[in-house]
Structures are given as C-alpha cells and as structure tokens.
Amino acid sequence: MSVPVTVYSTTICPYCVRAKQLLSQKGVAYEDINLDRNPELRDEVMRRSGRRTVPQIWVGDTHVGGFDELWALDRAGKLDPLLAG
C-alpha cells in the first residue's frame, strides 16, 4: 500500500511541474492542490510548512519540502521507501 502524496502547486511554477513529473515517472498517484484555483489555501500551506514557496510536498504526514528536497531524496534512494510507507 502506498502513502498518500499531496502537492501544493501553482500553474506556472517550473519546480511544481518537475516535482509532478518525477512523481508521475515513478507511477505515484498524488493529489495536486493548485493554489491559483484555491488561493484561500495559501495560508494553510504556509502554516503547515513554514514556507511561502511552491511546490510544497507531503508524503503521508511527512513534509518533504519542495522539488529540490524531493529530488535529493530520490537521488539518495530514500524516496521509494518513504512512498511505500
């Protein structure tokens, strides 16, 4: 069973696109919450993550961070175990 993945993103953010591409290449289903369409959620994301930037990615209850952190986890071989739960 895989852990739910949530990506808070915006439409024009290149790092958001790259994060979602990486997850898709791994066959990971994720919930994409677009902050352009849901601007009221920006405060929630900032409160949860402590960051103003996108993407903000959670794997289950674990806040991964942005694309750079997601990519680093994958390169280190730590993303697949995190996704597997």
Side-chain angles (χ1 to χ4, degrees):
M1 184 174 148
S2 62
V3 177
V5 177
T6 306
V7 178
Y8 289 87
S9 67
T10 61
T11 304
I12 62 169
C13 164
Y15 292 102
C16 299
V17 171
R18 292 176 69 189
K20 292 184 275 188
Q21 284 175 339
L22 175 60
L23 292 168
S24 293
Q25 287 169 356
K26 295 183 122 345
V28 175
Y30 57 88
E31 179 182 11
D32 180 23
I33 300 175
N34 186 300
L35 296 178
D36 292 334
R37 293 187 207 106
N38 300 286
E40 69 280 3
L41 296 178
R42 284 185 183 272
D43 289 340
E44 175 187 323
V45 175
M46 198 170 115
R47 189 172 51 253
R48 285 183 70 196
S49 69
R51 299 180 181 184
R52 293 183 169 273
T53 58
V54 288
Q56 290 303 318
I57 304 160
W58 275 265
V59 176
D61 292 330
T62 301
H63 178 235
V64 171
F67 170 73
D68 290 339
E69 292 89 354
L70 182 71
W71 186 75
L73 279 174
D74 190 42
R75 297 280 295 173
K78 296 179 181 178
L79 181 57
D80 290 339
L82 184 62
L83 292 168

